[in-house]
Amino acid sequence: MPKTPIASRPHDHSHCVHSALSEADALCARQGLRLTALRRRVLELVWQSHKPLGAYDILAVLSEQDGRRAAPPTVYRALDFLLENGLVHRISSLNSFVGCNHPGHVHQGQFLICRACHAAIELEQASISDAIIGSAKDVGFVVEGQTVEVVGLCSGCQGA
Ligand SMILES: [Zn+2]
Ligand SMILES: [Zn+2]
Ligand SMILES: [Zn+2]
């Protein structure tokens, strides 16, 4: 039995934020990437919960909490940087972003999205992406990227 993903059970979320930021620091140092103060802050905001956050929510918090009037393009560029380097994933159906649980290696995102609390639980099942690649190949299609978004109810929201 796979264990319940941390995103769908009560936990000390400050650990998630702390480890996500230190992993990001390490990854950027290893790859010679510049994790500027704004990029790091945007990553921290995306990690404020396991619920995907939209660019406008990020902008709102930046101006409210930091008194920083960041221009939208600056925030979009920071998000692009985080996306390109695998630190966040984009959830198209919610037009928002969620922190990656295991950055540092290339993988395709598979997300279970709770329609009640909007938590996005990341799975990393090579068998799912292999099946997609295989089925695509059968029809002569070359897969360049895939983000699987599955809608339902997380364990915490069932029967609530
Ligand atoms: Zn957490
Ligand atoms: Zn990921
Ligand atoms: Zn839920």
Side-chain angles (χ1 to χ4, degrees), residues 14-141:
S14 64
H15 282 300
C16 301
V17 178
H18 181 82
S19 80
L21 290 175
S22 52
E23 276 186 62
D25 287 333
L27 182 135
C28 290
R30 248 191 343 263
Q31 304 190 352
L33 301 167
R34 246 162 49 82
L35 191 62
T36 59
L38 180 70
R39 288 167 173 173
R40 199 172 191 277
R41 179 68 178 133
V42 169
L43 181 64
E44 187 183 16
L45 291 178
V46 169
W47 268 102
Q48 72 177 244
S49 77
H50 292 280
K51 295 167 192 156
L53 204 63
Y56 277 89
D57 302 320
I58 294 169
L59 275 163
V61 181
L62 279 176
S63 61
E64 257 168 49
Q65 292 184 4
D66 301 17
R68 193 203 292 252
R69 307 222 312 139
T74 322
V75 170
Y76 282 117
R77 275 197 300 272
L79 284 166
D80 281 343
F81 170 86
L82 298 172
L83 267 178
E84 272 165 32
N85 294 294
L87 294 164
V88 301
H89 289 284
R90 186 166 192 272
I91 305 291
S92 314
S93 61
L94 301 172
N95 193 21
S96 54
F97 302 85
V98 69
C100 176
N101 289 329
H102 23 62
H105 65 282
V106 179
H107 61 278
Q108 307 295 342
Q110 295 139 8
F111 293 91
L112 305 178
I113 300 162
C114 178
R115 63 176 163 78
C117 70
H118 296 134
I121 299 158
E122 181 171 2
L123 301 176
E124 194 190 3
Q125 290 289 340
S127 57
I128 299 175
S129 38
D130 290 350
I132 291 172
I133 291 167
S135 305
K137 201 174 166 192
D138 290 345
V139 296
F141 189 93

Side-chain angles (χ1 to χ4, degrees), residues 6 11 13 16 50:
I6 193 161
H11 64 283
H13 186 64
C16 301
H50 292 280

